[in-house]
Amino acid sequence: MSPRIVVAGAVTSVDNRLLLAQRRYPATVAGLWELPGGKAEDDEDVKFALRRELREELDVGVEVGERLAETVALSDDLTLIALWARITDGVPRPVEHSRLRWVTAEELDKMVAGHQLVPADTVWVPELSGVLRRA
Ligand code: C5P
């Protein structure tokens, strides 16, 4: 059986900030910040899955772009990927998370240094902060 895919959104703003969401559960990662997203359904297109997840979790519509380079094997049966996204309608609100934050590249780097990101998401930091700085 092929692994289930977890899709995460690297949601960026026109002023070069990245949207981070603070997890409420499980206890191992509660309080840490992540790129919002969730599990794709079987045979669900990953872009479609991310649009559905961000509607559910943030109550916004997004346009989904390219995949980020790194893929994370969370377990034998769970693979995590991330895709760039832009909000096309609505203002994000934390439906399932405790808080949301728009961070600059500098703030992202500080959060990583302070171990405030969920461990799996740290693989994307070089690409994320590179794009936020370059844009
Ligand atoms: O959000 P959800 O609990 O559906 O995520 C499924 C799995 O993917 C969990 O193990 C979660 O910790 C992980 N995940 C992650 N980074 C994200 C989103 C989810 O490591 N940005």
Side-chain angles (χ1 to χ4, degrees):
M1 215 180 77
S2 54
R4 286 276 303 267
I5 304 286
V6 180
V7 286
V11 181
T12 54
S13 66
V14 289
D15 64 344
N16 303 322
R17 286 168 189 259
L18 172 74
L19 187 64
L20 291 179
Q22 189 176 38
R23 284 199 73 107
R24 280 207 307 234
Y25 64 90
T28 46
V29 287
L32 299 181
W33 296 80
E34 69 175 6
L35 303 186
K39 290 184 188 125
E41 306 290 345
D42 290 339
D43 300 325
E44 189 180 32
D45 170 76
V46 291
K47 290 190 175 185
F48 185 94
L50 185 61
R51 285 199 299 273
R52 177 182 54 70
E53 284 289 341
L54 297 187
R55 172 59 72 186
E56 288 170 12
E57 294 191 354
L58 308 176
D59 196 19
V60 291
V62 295
E63 182 178 62
V64 179
E66 296 297 307
R67 266 174 76 159
L68 277 73
E70 299 290 341
T71 297
V72 184
L74 290 172
S75 64
D76 285 349
D77 54 7
L78 219 48
T79 298
L80 175 66
I81 66 164
L83 299 126
W84 296 103
R86 290 272 195 185
I87 293 175
T88 52
D89 75 271
V91 175
R93 62 186 183 91
V95 179
E96 294 177 7
H97 293 86
S98 46
R99 282 187 292 168
L100 302 179
R101 243 186 107 171
W102 287 101
V103 297
T104 61
E106 291 73 24
E107 288 164 343
L108 177 64
D109 290 343
K110 277 190 197 143
M111 290 173 77
V112 176
H115 305 286
Q116 290 176 273
L117 246 57
V118 300
D121 292 25
T122 57
V123 295
W124 296 310
V125 169
E127 185 171 358
L128 291 167
S129 65
V131 168
L132 294 174
R133 285 197 164 84
R134 209 179 320 126

